Amino acid sequence: MGHLVFNFYPLTAVMIVMLALLNDGAILSIAYDRVRYKNAPEAWNMRLVLGVSSALGVIGVIAAFGLFYLGEHVFHIDRAHIQTMMYLKLSVAGHLTIFLTRTRGPFWTIRPAGILWGAVLGTQIVATLFAYRVFDPVKKGKASPDAKPEVDAKPAGESKR
């Protein structure tokens, strides 16, 4: 959708794969989380579930487009850095969604298990380090807009031998 609106891919294929892997790593830890359960099967109010999930989806899309707009038009960030910013935004949003969906009430009513905290913090650290090491356009050899050109150390009159 970002390509249709901005004529730019806000995420690369590698970023999408990393998001899936890291978010799945944190989601797997939900199996060891502290939750209150009932002895009877849960009855789902599908109208409420669809309403809340639709609202979260729309808010997520608006937030992503808003962040893209702020980065490009307000802060004048180059597109390579915008891709990294969008990757980190989606990584954080995916992890925060885990905390929203783990309990019926407010997310703070039941304290998450240590393994869930560890998985979320660990994968978030990995995502940030990955963005810094792999997606940073300055490290990849692309010039930064405020980078200064290198100056030759030899005086102007000397020739190379």
Side-chain angles (χ1 to χ4, degrees):
M1 182 127 173
H3 182 67
L4 295 174
V5 175
F6 297 110
N7 196 26
F8 167 69
Y9 288 106
L11 293 175
T12 65
V14 173
M15 291 176 178
I16 294 169
V17 170
M18 287 304 298
L19 282 170
L21 290 173
L22 293 174
N23 283 349
D24 286 350
I27 289 170
L28 288 173
S29 68
I30 289 177
Y32 301 99
D33 192 21
R34 288 185 205 117
V35 292
R36 295 184 190 123
Y37 61 91
K38 298 177 183 176
N39 289 332
E42 291 283 336
W44 290 77
N45 179 350
M46 289 310 292
R47 200 172 285 232
L48 178 65
V49 170
L50 290 173
V52 169
S53 62
S54 296
L56 288 174
V58 168
I59 290 169
V61 169
I62 290 170
F65 277 101
L67 185 62
F68 185 92
Y69 179 83
L70 285 172
E72 187 168 63
H73 297 289
V74 175
F75 297 110
H76 307 290
I77 299 171
D78 63 284
R79 290 213 163 167
H81 281 99
I82 288 175
Q83 281 183 322
T84 304
M85 182 175 67
M86 297 304 292
Y87 165 77
L88 290 172
K89 180 261 184 229
L90 292 173
S91 178
V92 170
H95 286 115
L96 292 179
T97 303
I98 293 171
F99 293 109
L100 289 174
T101 59
R102 57 180 287 277
T103 182
R104 280 188 180 257
F107 68 91
W108 61 83
T109 57
I110 301 173
R111 188 172 162 216
I115 193 167
L116 179 60
W117 275 115
V120 168
L121 290 175
T123 54
Q124 205 53 51
I125 289 168
V126 169
T128 303
L129 292 175
F130 187 76
Y132 179 73
R133 301 280 290 158
V134 176
F135 301 140
D136 187 12
V138 175
K139 288 188 177 230
K140 290 167 72 173
K142 296 179 184 173
S144 173
D146 51 11
K148 295 179 182 172
E150 291 185 23
V151 178
D152 193 5
K154 293 184 179 183
E158 285 188 30
S159 63
K160 293 181 182 179
R161 294 181 195 184

